Amino acid sequence: MKQKKKLGLTTIIFIALILGSLTGVILYSFVPAGYVRDTVIVNGIFDIVGSGFIRGMQMLVVPLVFFSLVCGSMAIGDTKKLGKVGVRTLVFYLCTTALAIAVALCVANILDPGKNLDMSSVAVADVKVAEATNIKDTILAIIPTNPIKALANGDMLAIIFFALFIGILLAAGGERFETLANIFSQGNDLMMDMTMAVMKVAPIGVFCLVAKTFGSLGYDAFAPMLKYMIAVFLALGIQCFGVYQILLFISTRLNPIRFLKKFFPVMAFAFSTATSNATIPLSIETLDEKLGVSRRISSFTIPLGATINMDGTSIMQGVAVVFVAQAFGIQLDMMDYLTVILTATLASVGTAGVPSVGLITLSMVFNSVGLPVEGIGLIMGIDRILDMTRTAVNVTGDAICTTIVAKRDGMLDEKVFNQMQ
């Protein structure tokens, strides 16, 4: 008798995503608003369980990234090779981010999402403004004055620098640091096991997160912002299914459709959690087991990408600039657009991979071209659903870059990549 194939965790998570969406829509559409629906179910049970799951994943992020990068740089070993991988990865991430903003600006100028907008029909939220930063401060922030403080505060750029420094020295030291190297390797294994333990409750967490989102966002919030949402979704789609797949095929001659089919469950998980950091272990596992990418590469590029590669976030910022400029009747010229591309690219470096952080850094982009920061309040009400979608694009960009780098460095098993599921 043929045994039934057991559903994998990613499949169960995807099913939970669909069921959560349906539950949220049914709750909002058919259950009367009131204490039971809004306070007890949506903002009570769903919020507690969903937020608890996110906090569980965030609890593991800093040690996971730290151990992964130490082991990743240690495994690559050769400092020259590590330098090549690092430079390729960094250049790819920065180029795709700049390209993503350009795509967003083009799409937004074609669709004109802010023209003839009835401002009175849009709910306006309070805006949290980010402090402006410059290139010098961004570069200096990479070097931690206190590594322990950086780890405690989750300062990802400083953590990355410190982890890479340790990994390179451990690799160069060889047998002298063998015991310490083993401790880091075992620490990495422990963090992976802890992550997979937390991931066992992911279907429940995903169900509650998505149900809360759809259960609290009504049609009234969407209607006046529909053109803005369509512009963001379209630009995200072009970047994810167009730009990335073309880059993958041109650089590796691998089948983009096969990549998307195998990586789709990770995209669904990123969509439901709206946090790049929480997706790190699942991305590394999927790239290794289904796409044949060596962990020696992915354990370095994926945590790095979760910190500095925010293409989806940059797309939202590009569309938001055009939307708010049109809504307030402000004319932007080509120089303004170039400033937006530069500022948004820099703002994405070191951005925390947590929900809705793009809205905070958006204030820096607005300030760079003289747009009113109050305009961010117009898009905050419907940002959660966009945040979920752009996170899926962010993690896809990380995986595409990792696959390309792995192929270039002979660390991709094409038999695994081409294997039918």
Side-chain angles (χ1 to χ4, degrees), residues 276-344:
S276 302
N277 286 338
T279 317
I280 289 171
L282 192 60
S283 293
I284 292 173
E285 183 188 21
T286 303
L287 284 165
D288 178 32
E289 295 182 2
K290 295 183 179 180
L291 295 164
V293 175
S294 170
R295 286 178 186 259
R296 290 172 65 186
I297 291 291
S298 61
S299 61
F300 171 76
T301 56
I302 293 295
L304 188 64
T307 303
I308 68 170
N309 187 41
M310 297 287 172
D311 294 354
T313 303
S314 300
I315 283 172
M316 177 277 291
Q317 293 176 342
V319 175
V321 163
V322 176
F323 169 74
V324 170
Q326 291 176 347
F328 284 88
I330 298 169
Q331 195 71 32
L332 297 177
D333 57 26
M334 185 55 68
M335 198 65 209
D336 290 324
Y337 288 137
L338 291 173
T339 303
V340 168
I341 292 172
L342 178 63
T343 309

Side-chain angles (χ1 to χ4, degrees), residues 157-278:
L157 282 178
I159 291 168
I160 287 169
F161 179 86
F162 188 56
L164 292 178
F165 199 14
I166 291 174
I168 291 167
L169 292 177
L170 286 174
E175 291 182 4
R176 279 198 306 143
F177 300 133
E178 190 176 352
T179 304
L180 192 56
N182 288 334
I183 290 172
F184 276 107
S185 294
Q186 289 171 358
N188 189 45
D189 291 341
L190 175 63
M191 293 316 303
M192 284 294 180
D193 287 350
M194 286 179 72
T195 303
M196 296 321 294
V198 174
M199 285 289 289
K200 285 180 180 177
V201 298
I204 300 168
V206 164
F207 174 85
C208 291
L209 283 168
V210 177
K212 178 186 179 293
T213 298
F214 284 91
S216 57
L217 279 178
Y219 306 114
D220 295 339
F222 289 117
M225 303 294 288
L226 202 56
K227 279 182 77 176
Y228 167 74
M229 293 179 68
I230 290 170
V232 175
F233 284 137
L234 181 58
L236 288 171
I238 291 170
Q239 183 74 7
C240 188
F241 302 109
V243 174
Y244 286 157
Q245 307 316 316
I246 291 168
L247 287 172
L248 178 68
F249 181 74
I250 290 173
S251 302
T252 65
R253 299 299 175 190
L254 295 171
N255 188 334
I257 305 297
R258 188 162 290 141
F259 173 89
L260 285 170
K261 186 180 177 184
K262 291 188 174 186
F263 197 72
F264 185 75
V266 183
M267 295 165 68
F269 180 71
F271 175 85
S272 57
T273 59
T275 162
S276 302
N277 286 338

Side-chain angles (χ1 to χ4, degrees), residues 75-86:
I76 293 174
D78 184 1
T79 310
K80 284 185 180 178
K81 189 170 184 180
L82 180 64
K84 284 181 183 176
V85 170

Side-chain angles (χ1 to χ4, degrees), residues 9-19 206 264-265 268-269:
L9 179 62
T10 49
T11 307
I12 298 170
I13 289 169
F14 185 62
I15 292 169
L17 170 66
I18 296 170
L19 292 176
V206 164
F264 185 75
F269 180 71

